[in-house]
């Protein structure tokens, strides 16, 4: 009997020791797995940040080109002299001004239109090949157009509805006053680019990978453009708006539509707008676990 109890105690002790060793190994394995997962998640986020810098830089360079073209055209001496000349109101001079605008438009494939608006007369001259000259009521359509373009300030593009196009669309625009030699404002020059055109040129390529999304924001969290549908954007917008307003550069893990997404966002150096890139962590976690 004593021998049996002794053997039974040895077995129990052995089992307890083995169980304790197993638990210690399990805890250590989980600890190092979590450490490894955190390390690779940080590396993944850093890679996304670098990708965001590259993709965001393309968007920013597009806006910079629009801004530079606007400034160059507004200070074109030939254009200023024609606007200030005695026969500036003649149809021939208007056609010559439209031709100058077309030369600047042709500098950049992203530009939809360059226009000159004279508040005093309501005359609008556009870079369009046909119907380049229009007349807007200075107290109605003309004033609305002037109020719209003057909301654009500095290097930030202004997103608005296209009031001059044949079909409704969102456009980014820059504007500059055109001065005479005495410093008086002769007209306002505006360069516009379709929001969809810029999206497909610079943002869509960043979403070719599975379960990824790209978004553009104002620094206050207002959405400018993105690859998510409206019903999908709402939860993302709610999560990111406060984060972006508090810090224009950052990263986070977001839970959206029952999936975890790695999100990185950064302020673009020229425009100051915020570029955000999201990618699903599902495939990433699956690869790490394997």
């Amino acid at each position: 009997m004593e021998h049996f109890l002794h053997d039974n105690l040895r077995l129990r002790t052995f089992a307890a020791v083995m169980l304790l060793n197993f638990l210690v190994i399990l805890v250590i394995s989980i600890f190092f797995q979590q450490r490894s997962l955190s390390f690779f998640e940080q590396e993944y986020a850093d890679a996304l940040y670098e990708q965001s810098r590259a993709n965001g830089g393309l968007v920013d360079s597009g806006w910079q080109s629009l801004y530079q073209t606007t400034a160059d055209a507004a200070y074109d001496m030939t254009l200023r002299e024609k606007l200030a000349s005695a026969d500036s109101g003649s149809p021939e001079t208007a056609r010559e001004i439209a031709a100058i605008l077309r030369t600047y438009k042709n500098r950049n494939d992203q530009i939809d239109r360059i226009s000159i608006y004279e508040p005093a007369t309501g005359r609008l001259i556009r870079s369009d090949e046909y119907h380049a000259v229009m007349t807007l009521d200075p107290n109605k359509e003309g004033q609305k157009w002037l109020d719209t373009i003057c909301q654009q300030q500095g290097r930030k593009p202004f997103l608005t509805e296209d009031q001059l196009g044949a079909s409704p669309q969102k456009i980014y625009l820059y504007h500059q006053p055109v001065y005479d030699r005495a410093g008086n404002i002769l007209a306002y020059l505006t360069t516009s680019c379709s929001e969809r055109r810029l999206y497909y040129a610079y943002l869509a390529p960043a979403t070719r990978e599975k379960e990824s999304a790209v978004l553009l924001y104002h620094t206050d969290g207002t959405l400018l453009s993105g690859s998510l549908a409206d019903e999908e954007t709402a939860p993302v917008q709610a999560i990111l708006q406060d984060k972006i307003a508090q810090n224009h550069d950052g990263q986070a893990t977001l839970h959206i539509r029952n999936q975890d997404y790695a999100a990185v966002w950064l302020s673009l150096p020229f425009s100051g707008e915020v570029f955000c890139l999201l990618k699903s962590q599902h495939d990433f976690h699956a690869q790490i676990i394997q």
Side-chain angles (χ1 to χ4, degrees):
M1 183 69 177
E2 182 180 351
H3 179 71
F4 174 76
L5 292 175
H6 180 71
D7 289 343
N8 192 33
L9 180 60
R10 289 178 61 189
L11 287 173
R12 290 184 178 181
T13 301
F14 177 76
V17 171
M18 292 299 294
L19 178 61
L20 180 61
N21 287 339
F22 174 77
L23 291 174
V24 170
I25 293 172
L26 180 63
V27 170
I28 293 174
S29 298
I30 293 174
F31 172 77
F32 280 106
Q33 184 183 42
Q34 292 298 320
R35 285 284 299 273
S36 298
L37 185 60
S38 297
F39 171 79
F40 285 114
E41 283 180 342
Q42 185 59 52
E43 290 295 310
Y44 185 64
D46 290 344
L48 290 186
Y49 187 84
E50 291 304 315
Q51 183 179 345
S52 297
R53 286 184 59 187
N55 293 131
L58 293 175
V59 179
D60 218 28
S61 65
W63 282 330
Q64 185 174 7
S65 179
L66 294 177
Y67 177 88
Q68 189 62 54
T69 300
T70 306
D72 290 346
Y75 286 92
D76 184 294
M77 290 304 300
T78 303
L79 178 65
R80 294 166 68 181
E81 288 172 0
K82 288 187 178 297
L83 287 169
S85 65
D87 60 347
S88 62
S90 69
E92 179 60 30
T93 302
R95 286 192 292 270
E96 292 173 355
I97 291 173
I100 294 173
L101 298 181
R102 280 194 292 275
T103 63
Y104 283 98
K105 176 185 180 298
N106 293 335
R107 285 186 177 184
N108 189 334
D109 292 338
Q110 300 305 316
I111 296 176
D112 286 335
R113 178 184 297 115
I114 302 180
S115 60
I116 285 278
Y117 179 64
E118 299 172 313
T121 63
R123 187 174 65 162
L124 180 75
I125 305 174
R126 308 184 300 179
S127 58
D128 301 38
E129 291 284 351
Y130 301 102
H131 305 295
V133 183
M134 301 173 57
T135 300
L136 306 179
D137 186 334
N139 298 316
K140 295 180 181 179
E141 301 95 335
Q143 187 61 49
K144 182 181 178 182
W145 176 242
L146 187 60
D147 290 342
T148 298
I149 64 177
C150 287
Q151 291 182 64
Q152 188 277 314
Q153 299 292 328
R155 299 186 299 184
K156 284 184 177 292
F158 184 66
L159 181 65
T160 185
E161 295 287 344
D162 185 8
Q163 300 173 24
L164 306 178
S167 58
Q169 66 171 337
K170 291 280 189 180
I171 58 171
Y172 296 107
L173 63 81
Y174 283 100
H175 90 286
Q176 284 280 351
V178 181
Y179 299 95
D180 63 15
R181 293 183 180 274
N184 302 309
I185 295 178
L186 294 168
Y188 291 86
L189 186 143
T190 306
T191 301
S192 64
C193 167
S194 164
E195 178 270 330
R196 286 289 87 184
R197 184 192 293 264
L198 185 137
Y199 169 80
Y200 285 115
Y202 301 125
L203 298 182
T207 63
R208 288 174 182 167
E209 295 183 22
K210 184 180 178 182
E211 296 294 335
S212 62
V214 61
L215 302 161
L216 284 176
Y217 290 92
H218 277 310
T219 50
D220 63 1
T222 303
L223 184 66
L224 288 174
S225 180
S227 60
L228 295 178
D230 291 341
E231 64 273 12
E232 298 172 323
T233 302
V236 180
Q237 175 73 0
I239 295 171
L240 287 176
Q241 184 169 8
D242 291 340
K243 292 181 178 295
I244 290 174
Q246 293 171 8
N247 186 355
H248 302 160
D249 293 72
Q251 60 187 54
T253 300
L254 308 180
H255 190 69
I256 306 166
R257 293 172 293 164
N258 299 319
Q259 287 194 48
D260 287 331
Y261 284 80
V264 295
W265 61 92
L266 53 92
S267 177
L268 301 178
F270 176 78
S271 64
E273 305 293 22
V274 178
F275 179 93
C276 180
L277 181 64
L278 294 91
K279 285 197 177 181
S280 171
Q281 291 187 324
H282 178 267
D283 293 339
F284 167 72
H285 284 164
Q287 293 174 7
I288 294 299
I289 292 174
Q290 290 175 357

